[in-house]
Amino acid sequence: YNLSPFLWKKIRRGLSAGRVQSVAVKLIVDREREIESFQKEEYWSIEAILQPNNLNDPVNTSLQFSARLYKYNDSLLIDRDSKEGNRFLITNAEFANKIINDIKDKDFFVFKIDKKLKKKSPSPPFITSTLQQEASRRLQFTAKKTMMIAQQLYEGVELGEEGSVGLITYMRTDSFRISPEAQQWARKFIVNRYGKEFVPEKPTHYKSKGSAQEAHEAIRPTYPDKTPEKVKPFLTREQYNLYNLIWNRFIASQMSAAQLEQTTFIIKLKDSGTIIDSTEFRTSGTVIRFPGFMTLYSEVRDEIAEEEGESVLPPLKEDDNLKQIDIKPLQHFTQPPPRYTEATLVKTLEEKEIGRPSTYATILS
């Protein structure tokens, strides 16, 4: 507290050197030092373009898919669990080309097809920190702007003859709690709009963090009849976008889980009819068997998945032979950790329990 008056004298009146602002600055500085000291590593992957090998079929681009070399001579290409630091098997172009020369004349076939049915559950309704993160990612709002617009929606918006109506519950909260009444109207709304199979048997409850004060409910719409489409004529574009986000997230949080089927082709090689067990290609694809809450809402992620994109897979069976269309090396470099965005900084502050929901926007500004 002695530092703030010093900043007023030397830099600018009104600056705060509060304990939470100082920690946020330290997080940003530490991340910058990490980026500056980062040593990038080169590594290579090998990609094969394949298609089902029906001998009479010409090259058919609609049936083609890509598969990555996963294992060579019994060694994994990227060993994520390596403690020694040598995580990458192929570290230069020469070795990548040597592997390609070694395998390009071999016959490819589907060794095994793995199918896993996974359930993906919806995210809980918004609390202050997650609203700021998602509004930053989806709407490019600053935390300050998000809270200002949320305050307007909470205090009340003029809805024609109805007068001023508060459209959302209190926006400074760290609790995922939802009132039973709100759960009931949400379930009724889902059945009417999407069908019975889109609501779980029992209402979904989300557990708040141990440090949550639980003084308020989660952020949710206040009235079932005030759908975003209905109130849109009375809202500014920014108010509508934020209200629509809060509405969709809340309704989705009370919907059934999505069911996804992940299919992985494990592809091996044959040399003169003999299976080469030590080398393996793999590719994965996901089919949505039941969309559930994803009909309405799916989260935007900060992290960009590593370059292992999922292919659209053709219908194949185990032991099917594959035609090799192309095989090529791809160069990559490891990336330093990214600089913070407002969304990722709020997430980090929340994880480290720095500040409270009402302070995130102030800390950032």
Side-chain angles (χ1 to χ4, degrees):
Y1 63 90
N2 285 325
L3 191 52
S4 292
F6 175 73
L7 290 182
W8 301 348
K9 271 189 218 161
K10 298 290 179 188
I11 302 175
R12 178 165 58 79
R13 188 152 188 84
L15 275 179
S16 168
R19 60 205 172 109
V20 282
Q21 285 97 324
S22 307
V23 179
V25 172
K26 178 176 162 47
L27 287 170
I28 292 164
V29 172
D30 286 350
R31 175 60 60 90
E32 198 61 29
R33 286 179 178 151
E34 229 180 305
I35 292 167
E36 283 174 5
S37 63
F38 183 80
Q39 300 289 317
K40 65 180 180 181
E41 288 180 75
E42 178 186 7
Y43 68 101
W44 290 72
S45 62
I46 290 171
E47 184 177 79
I49 308 296
L50 305 165
Q51 77 170 52
N53 189 11
N54 301 325
L55 296 174
N56 307 324
D57 278 4
V59 171
N60 184 341
T61 49
S62 66
L63 292 174
Q64 286 174 18
F65 64 97
S66 64
R68 285 272 174 101
L69 184 64
Y70 175 77
K71 192 168 76 171
Y72 178 70
N73 280 352
D74 278 332
S75 299
L76 292 178
L77 239 59
I78 299 177
D79 188 353
R80 297 182 195 284
D81 301 320
S82 168
K83 302 287 183 284
E84 280 68 55
N86 300 325
R87 294 183 302 136
F88 306 110
L89 178 66
I90 312 175
T91 53
N92 55 56
E94 292 74 34
F95 189 33
N97 287 319
K98 178 186 171 296
I99 293 173
I100 288 174
N101 288 331
D102 182 30
I103 63 180
K104 68 180 180 187
D105 300 327
K106 310 289 190 285
D107 299 317
F108 287 66
F109 76 104
V110 181
F111 176 73
K112 191 178 177 192
I113 297 176
D114 263 347
K115 287 191 178 184
K116 284 182 189 152
L117 200 61
K118 294 194 300 188
K119 274 191 173 182
K120 187 175 166 64
S121 298
S123 298
F126 284 128
I127 56 176
T128 306
S129 60
T130 53
L131 177 65
Q132 290 174 4
Q133 289 167 50
E134 203 73 342
S136 169
R137 293 183 195 117
R138 284 176 187 262
L139 308 175
Q140 284 72 56
F141 286 1
T142 61
K144 192 174 182 180
K145 184 176 185 174
T146 299
M147 295 313 286
M148 182 186 76
I149 296 167
Q151 182 92 35
Q152 294 163 4
L153 296 171
Y154 167 69
E155 286 180 357
V157 178
E158 291 292 329
L159 300 183
E161 290 172 8
E162 273 192 77
S164 181
V165 177
L167 291 175
I168 62 167
T169 53
Y170 192 55
M171 65 283 150
R172 291 190 179 92
T173 178
D174 54 8
S175 167
F176 292 128
R177 194 166 48 80
I178 291 293
S179 72
E181 295 86 353
Q183 282 189 318
Q184 285 313 313
W185 74 246
R187 287 169 68 82
K188 209 176 282 183
F189 175 86
I190 295 161
V191 171
N192 293 339
R193 174 73 63 98
Y194 300 101
K196 250 194 283 194
E197 67 277 22
F198 283 86
V199 278
E201 275 181 42
K202 291 178 184 167
T204 314
H205 295 279
Y206 297 93
K207 201 173 175 350
S208 300
K209 284 186 175 175
S211 59
Q213 289 184 337
E214 299 275 355
H216 304 280
E217 279 188 69
I219 304 168
R220 64 166 176 84
T222 39
Y223 299 105
D225 59 332
K226 305 285 185 287
T227 62
E229 307 87 69
K230 213 169 181 182
V231 298
K232 189 176 184 179
F234 305 100
L235 304 181
T236 65
R237 192 163 63 89
E238 290 175 336
Q239 286 173 337
Y240 168 76
N241 287 341
L242 192 66
Y243 182 59
N244 191 46
L245 191 64
I246 292 166
W247 176 279
N248 288 348
R249 174 80 162 224
F250 169 63
I251 297 294
S253 76
Q254 301 304 306
M255 291 173 81
S256 302
Q259 291 177 16
L260 311 174
E261 185 181 81
Q262 189 179 40
T263 301
T264 302
F265 290 169
I266 298 170
I267 294 159
K268 293 208 173 184
L269 312 179
K270 283 180 188 172
D271 188 9
S272 308
T274 306
I275 296 172
I276 305 168
D277 258 330
S278 60
T279 299
E280 202 174 278
F281 280 76
R282 289 191 178 196
T283 187
S284 294
T286 301
V287 176
I288 298 171
R289 290 291 173 211
F290 173 67
F293 75 93
M294 288 170 76
T295 309
L296 184 60
Y297 190 94
S298 57
E299 267 190 321
V300 174
R301 295 275 173 213
D302 293 305
E303 309 79 39
I304 294 163
E306 232 173 294
E307 299 166 46
E308 289 171 357
E310 298 207 329
S311 312
V312 176
L313 302 177
L316 287 170
K317 304 186 298 298
E318 288 182 3
D319 292 329
D320 277 0
N321 292 321
L322 300 167
K323 184 191 293 229
Q324 188 192 129
I325 307 299
D326 191 16
I327 186 158
K328 57 190 176 189
L330 302 170
Q331 185 185 34
H332 313 270
F333 292 95
T334 53
Q335 298 296 316
R339 288 193 175 93
Y340 285 110
T341 60
E342 286 216 352
T344 54
L345 186 55
V346 167
K347 189 179 180 183
T348 306
L349 292 172
E350 186 193 24
E351 281 169 359
K352 295 184 183 294
E353 297 186 5
I354 297 158
R356 296 222 64 81
S358 55
T359 61
Y360 298 135
T362 323
I363 292 168
L364 297 188
S365 58

